[in-house]
Amino acid sequence: MKSIHLIAGCSVGALVALALYAPAPVAGETQAASPYCVVRDQQPPIGAATAFAYDIQSGAVLYEKNADIPRPLASLTKLATVATALQLIGSDAEITITDEALHADGDSGLVAGDQWRAGDLADFVLVTSSNDGARALRLATESAFSLKGDNFVEIMNRFGRSANLNTAYFLNETGLDVSGTTAGGYASARDAARLAAFVALKTEGSADRSVLPEIGLRSAGRWYRGHNTSEIATDLPGALLSKTGFTDLAGGNLAVVYEPLPGRPVAIAVLGSTREGREADVLDIAVFAGASLERLILCQEHL
């Protein structure tokens, strides 16, 4: 059992471990003689209010639209919930679903008294966007460290600060709107993409199954089948992670991590689209970002 000092004392060790790996770009020579390296394709128009895509390895920006304007995250907030819970209690921790967890809005089929492996419950949350599953992760973490109140959400916000997600701010673990004017979480598209990159590459075992059309998971007592809230992975080769979000305040959100080239992951986030349009927006950006990444590599320049 980890000491409560790990959290209350500023959580330096755990929160530093949560920091995103984003190495500084390494400058190269520009092949100015090649038209391919000089001409820039026009960015595709998208319906989303804000968007951002970047090459995780170099940090190079591949696409941006109003990328630093904070917007409601909706269920993209659950990326931070999963990252925080698994960092603190570990993917093998046992979680019991409580009646309190089932009071969250929405019903994803969880049953009070069921016992889950934390990593499996995190997968279920990412695939189905389960609000009660996210609440169960929060409650189990608070119980493990004898926390009270909104301590888990406070830790989520410390995570955001330690990871240099400067615009990220969380009010709950689900991302559900708090009121008609206040969302459950906020961040810019830039920070949403960086959050997705962290979960895909730095959070043990919490991304692999997020791109499956459906998953079958077993708690201690029963089998659960979860259907993905997004079909993006079917249309996006090399997908490593996907997470949707939608509320009245947020509109349609989607964050993905994919490899347009082997071993070269790219993170994309679109915020303020529609439920129907968010996937088309991401696919349009993915095509453009893939071509931009290829140019970046071949021309040894940062775009």
Side-chain angles (χ1 to χ4, degrees):
M1 182 69 67
K2 295 181 178 66
S3 168
I4 188 65
H5 177 72
L6 177 67
I7 300 169
C10 197
S11 309
V12 175
L15 294 175
V16 168
L18 284 168
L20 288 171
Y21 173 68
V26 179
E29 296 180 356
T30 301
Q31 299 178 9
S34 170
Y36 179 74
C37 294
V38 176
V39 176
R40 295 289 178 267
D41 296 332
Q42 184 175 356
Q43 289 194 165
I46 61 170
T50 69
F52 185 75
Y54 80 108
D55 170 34
I56 297 173
Q57 179 174 311
S58 71
V61 176
L62 303 175
Y63 182 98
E64 59 181 324
K65 175 184 177 182
N66 301 324
D68 294 312
I69 299 175
R71 285 193 54 86
L73 285 175
S75 285
L76 298 193
T77 298
K78 295 184 177 81
L79 292 168
T81 301
V82 165
T84 301
L86 294 187
Q87 176 64 28
L88 294 178
I89 63 176
S91 59
D92 290 327
E94 184 179 276
I95 293 179
T96 300
I97 305 299
T98 64
D99 288 330
E100 184 179 357
L102 299 182
H103 290 162
D105 288 349
D107 181 4
S108 57
L110 297 181
V111 176
D114 260 3
Q115 295 178 328
W116 283 74
R117 178 180 170 273
D120 289 339
L121 184 58
D123 287 340
F124 187 76
V125 167
L126 293 183
V127 169
T128 68
S129 206
S130 168
N131 293 319
D132 38 13
R135 179 70 56 83
L137 286 170
R138 169 187 172 167
L139 293 173
T141 305
E142 291 180 339
S143 176
F145 293 97
S146 300
L147 302 176
K148 296 179 180 180
D150 290 331
N151 289 130
F152 182 83
V153 177
E154 291 174 7
I155 298 167
M156 289 171 63
N157 285 308
R158 291 180 191 173
F159 155 54
R161 293 191 294 271
S162 72
N164 295 318
L165 304 179
N166 297 321
T167 63
Y169 184 72
F170 309 109
L171 281 78
N172 58 41
E173 72 282 358
T174 63
L176 290 171
D177 293 341
V178 175
S179 70
T181 58
T182 304
Y186 294 88
S188 66
R190 186 188 303 272
D191 283 345
R194 295 182 69 224
L195 174 59
F198 176 80
V199 175
L201 303 180
K202 295 293 181 179
T203 302
E204 179 184 359
S206 62
D208 294 348
R209 290 186 279 193
S210 72
V211 298
L212 297 177
E214 63 178 21
I215 55 172
L217 295 168
R218 184 174 180 83
S219 69
R222 70 194 73 239
W223 278 98
Y224 288 83
R225 184 165 299 278
H227 295 277
N228 207 311
T229 55
S230 172
E231 297 179 357
I232 190 69
T234 303
D235 301 317
L236 186 63
L240 303 176
L241 173 142
S242 70
K243 182 70 195 80
T244 60
F246 183 87
T247 66
D248 291 341
L249 291 178
N253 296 345
L254 179 59
V256 303
V257 178
Y258 78 114
E259 289 186 345
L261 300 172
R264 201 66 182 253
V266 167
I268 301 174
V270 299
L271 306 178
S273 185
T274 64
R275 192 191 297 270
E276 299 77 18
R278 61 192 176 188
E279 298 195 8
D281 286 344
V282 165
L283 288 174
D284 285 345
I285 293 172
V287 171
F288 180 85
S292 297
L293 178 61
E294 181 179 287
R295 181 182 287 112
L296 182 153
I297 294 171
L298 293 177
C299 299
Q300 298 181 318
E301 65 177 347
H302 293 277
L303 306 177

